[in-house]
Amino acid sequence: MSKIDRRILKSKQAIRVAFVNLLMERGFDEITIKDIAEQADIARKTFYLHYLDKFDLLEQLVDEHLSELRIICDQKQEKELIEGTIIWFNYFDARKDFFKALFKSNSTLSFRKKLLDFTMGELKKKIYPLSDSNKMIDQEILLKFLGIAVMGIIESFVLEEINGDTAIVAQQVGKLVQRNI
């Protein structure tokens, strides 16, 4: 088993910390590789040793967040829908600044698509088989409807367009999902 060079880990960590700080400070669209390199105190060449561009860096960070969400979703399988929704919203609340910067950006369409696909996948586990009242509704339309609705509430919550305690907002979202499945 090969050991990863600690310098590589330190460089990647410095790049990620610099990127997230700049993301929250300026927004994705305003960040340049030069800005990241200066903030991380590395050469631009070092950045390119690890990432293709800022989109590649963003994609890797988003994938890491989705992996963390996957673990949370797997752990909350035994919980009721509303209790699990609260856990999910707490995750976004704890990382609100990061997600706020992504939702505000015009260039983060891939993040939105990945989050929607992830959300729909989790909803799919909860709603199948469909209740008798929903058997006449196309399954893909129902999934897309609920996924976009949940994502819209998460976005509004992260952007602080919806005020309220995380648990209360999450409970209401959970109840709305339950009504529609």
Side-chain angles (χ1 to χ4, degrees):
M1 179 178 200
S2 66
K3 197 173 183 182
I4 297 177
D5 189 332
R6 291 172 70 181
R7 292 172 298 178
I8 292 172
L9 293 175
K10 283 183 179 182
S11 293
K12 287 181 93 170
Q13 182 63 20
I15 291 167
R16 288 166 181 249
V17 168
F19 178 72
V20 170
N21 288 338
L22 289 166
L23 184 66
M24 292 185 294
E25 180 184 308
R26 297 184 193 170
F28 182 80
D29 300 320
E30 303 302 318
I31 298 172
T32 65
I33 303 304
K34 180 181 177 193
D35 296 331
I36 297 168
E38 285 176 2
Q39 180 99 9
D41 196 25
I42 60 162
R44 287 172 48 119
K45 180 180 170 183
T46 303
F47 177 91
Y48 289 112
L49 287 172
H50 304 294
Y51 305 100
L52 299 172
D53 53 24
K54 69 180 187 176
F55 294 95
D56 181 42
L57 172 56
L58 175 65
E59 186 169 338
Q60 288 187 35
L61 286 170
V62 167
D63 287 346
E64 286 175 15
H65 280 285
L66 291 178
S67 292
E68 290 175 13
L69 279 169
R70 164 71 44 233
I71 292 166
I72 289 170
C73 289
D74 290 344
Q75 291 172 346
K76 69 181 184 76
Q77 286 298 329
E78 303 302 316
K79 306 213 182 277
E80 294 293 322
L81 179 68
I82 293 172
E83 188 180 356
T85 304
I86 293 170
I87 293 168
W88 221 54
F89 267 77
N90 283 333
Y91 179 86
F92 285 97
D93 189 37
R95 294 149 185 86
K96 192 177 269 188
D97 289 338
F98 175 77
F99 287 106
K100 184 185 294 187
L102 292 181
F103 281 124
K104 281 185 172 181
S105 174
N106 294 324
S107 302
T108 56
L109 189 58
S110 66
F111 155 70
R112 291 170 183 269
K113 173 141 180 43
K114 280 186 175 187
L115 184 58
L116 177 59
D117 290 345
F118 182 86
T119 303
M120 288 173 54
E122 289 305 306
L123 287 167
K124 187 175 187 174
K125 294 175 188 175
K126 295 287 184 193
I127 66 173
Y128 291 117
L130 291 174
S131 64
D132 289 338
S133 62
N134 285 337
K135 292 210 181 198
M136 298 303 291
I137 298 174
D138 183 275
Q139 295 174 356
E140 288 304 309
I141 291 173
L142 179 62
L143 271 177
K144 187 72 95 170
F145 173 78
L146 291 173
I148 289 172
V150 169
M151 233 183 78
I153 297 299
I154 289 171
E155 180 175 352
S156 294
F157 173 75
V158 164
L159 294 176
E160 298 174 343
E161 298 169 349
I162 294 175
N163 297 318
D165 180 66
T166 304
I168 293 170
V169 173
Q171 285 173 349
Q172 291 178 10
V173 170
K175 287 177 184 177
L176 287 168
V177 170
Q178 270 183 332
R179 282 186 191 170
N180 287 287
I181 56 175

